[in-house]
């Protein structure tokens, strides 16, 4: 495959991004000077990127970066690629102006870091079971100059008896036999960050069971979930003793986040 063939096989936007990454020029410069010849090293890098994209690898992993809530985040195959619909979880968190926040299954640190950026006085912690993912989150915190404490462990195990003004999570919520797992970007993303039992709700069940003991009175637990799971998640939160349980839709109108408040 030569450069012309690679360009023809790529989406125009993706071609510009990969050319910019390969050459070190800005995307605007690549667009403004399409006639510019590529140095041999840059051509080899671009063709390598194009080949990876042709195999279906997500553009975010090839670039090593993904923007989330205005933050340029480092990403790798060790972490889930941050998605626009998860920004709803950040917005709902910020609206509650919490003094302390716990982000469960932090992955790249996207949620925790976005909250910290907009609530600099809040104490923000992120918990992650994958050591490789935790390293990505810590790298992002250093890169962005944000003081978030990251802990290694499963869900609430690392926090002891601590209580928080807000607990948030974008946990795994895909059913293990979901056919989408063999399609698109999901083929390349870490399965442990996606799949959660036969119905996709195992992680949410566990969080709903243990999180209330770590909430301050009157404070919130907010959980992202998949399409069609809102009724089941509301029931789990109500069974856990939370009140004012509600669900909020994302910009596509899909029920995306469900939360409840611990009784005062």
């Amino acid at each position: 495959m030569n450069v012309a063939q690679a360009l023809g096989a790529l989406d125009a936007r993706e071609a510009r991004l990969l050319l910019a990454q390969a050459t070190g020029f800005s995307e605007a410069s690549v667009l403004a000077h399409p006639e510019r010849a590529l140095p041999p090293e840059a051509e080899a890098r671009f063709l390598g990127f194009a080949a990876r994209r042709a195999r279906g690898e997500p553009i975010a992993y090839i670039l090593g970066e993904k923007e989330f809530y205005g933050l340029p985040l480092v990403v790798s195959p060790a972490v889930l690629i941050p998605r626009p619909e998860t920004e709803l979880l950040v917005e709902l968190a910020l609206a509650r102006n919490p003094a302390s926040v716990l982000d469960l299954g932090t992955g790249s640190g996207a949620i925790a870091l976005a909250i910290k950026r907009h609530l600099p006085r809040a104490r923000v912690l992120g918990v992650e079971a994958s050591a490789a993912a935790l390293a990505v989150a810590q790298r992002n915190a250093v890169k962005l100059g944000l003081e978030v404490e990251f802990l290694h462990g499963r869900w609430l195990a690392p926090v002891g008896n601590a209580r928080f003004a807000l607990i948030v999570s974008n946990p795994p919520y895909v059913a293990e036999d979901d056919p989408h797992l063999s399609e698109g970007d999901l083929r390349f993303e870490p399965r442990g960050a996606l799949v959660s039992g036969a119905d996709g709700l195992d992680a949410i069940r566990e969080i709903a069971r243990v999180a209330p003991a770590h909430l301050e009175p009157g404070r919130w637990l907010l959980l992202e979930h998949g399409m069609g799971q809102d009724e089941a998640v509301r029931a789990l939160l109500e069974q856990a003793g939370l009140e004012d349980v509600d669900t909020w839709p994302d910009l596509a109108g899909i029920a995306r986040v469900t939360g409840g408040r611990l009784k005062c």
Side-chain angles (χ1 to χ4, degrees):
M1 180 186 293
N2 59 36
V3 171
Q5 290 170 328
L7 288 171
L10 290 166
D11 169 87
R13 165 71 170 161
E14 291 183 352
R16 291 196 299 272
L17 287 170
L18 295 178
L19 277 170
Q21 182 80 350
T23 61
F25 295 122
S26 68
E27 188 180 348
S29 177
V30 168
L31 184 63
H33 300 283
E35 76 288 349
R36 183 163 42 199
L38 296 182
E41 298 84 356
E43 179 177 339
R45 281 194 298 271
F46 172 70
L47 291 176
F49 293 157
R52 291 167 64 185
R53 186 60 183 142
R55 292 193 292 269
E57 186 174 347
I59 191 82
Y61 288 159
I62 300 172
L63 297 175
E65 185 174 285
K66 178 70 174 180
E67 183 175 318
F68 177 81
Y69 216 80
L71 299 179
L73 298 173
V74 172
V75 295
S76 79
V79 300
L80 196 70
I81 299 168
R83 288 163 167 77
E85 56 265 30
T86 302
E87 294 187 350
L88 172 63
L89 190 58
V90 175
E91 292 169 2
L92 291 168
L94 296 178
R96 285 155 177 77
N97 195 29
S100 59
V101 182
L102 177 63
D103 175 26
L104 299 174
T106 196
S108 66
I111 296 167
L113 292 165
I115 292 172
K116 184 64 176 180
R117 168 59 61 86
H118 292 274
L119 296 176
R121 295 185 179 181
R123 181 190 181 208
V124 181
L125 287 79
V127 172
E128 175 55 57
S130 164
L134 201 64
V136 175
Q138 291 167 332
R139 181 180 174 189
N140 278 318
V142 171
K143 174 187 174 185
L144 296 169
L146 295 171
E147 293 186 9
V148 171
E149 182 180 352
F150 292 109
L151 303 175
H152 185 213
R154 181 175 175 81
W155 304 130
L156 288 117
V159 303
N161 297 320
R163 288 179 177 263
F164 300 87
L166 177 67
I167 298 176
V168 297
S169 183
N170 175 20
Y173 54 72
V174 179
E176 57 192 14
D177 62 350
D178 191 313
H180 294 96
L181 291 167
S182 61
E183 301 173 359
D185 289 355
L186 297 186
R187 295 171 295 162
F188 294 84
E189 294 183 279
R191 190 174 178 87
L194 293 166
V195 177
S196 189
D199 62 358
L201 292 172
D202 282 2
I204 290 177
R205 285 191 188 92
E206 184 173 351
I207 293 169
R209 179 177 58 83
V210 297
H214 295 272
L215 283 172
E216 296 172 357
R219 301 301 185 169
W220 285 82
L221 168 66
L222 298 171
L223 301 172
E224 180 173 329
H225 51 73
M227 182 187 301
Q229 294 178 328
D230 52 300
E231 183 176 350
V233 177
R234 285 194 299 272
L236 288 169
L237 297 189
E238 289 167 354
Q239 291 167 16
L242 300 184
E243 61 182 14
D244 297 333
V245 173
D246 203 355
T247 298
W248 295 267
D250 61 21
L251 291 176
I254 296 169
R256 181 62 60 186
V257 175
T258 294
R261 185 169 60 87
L262 186 67
K263 293 179 181 179
C264 293

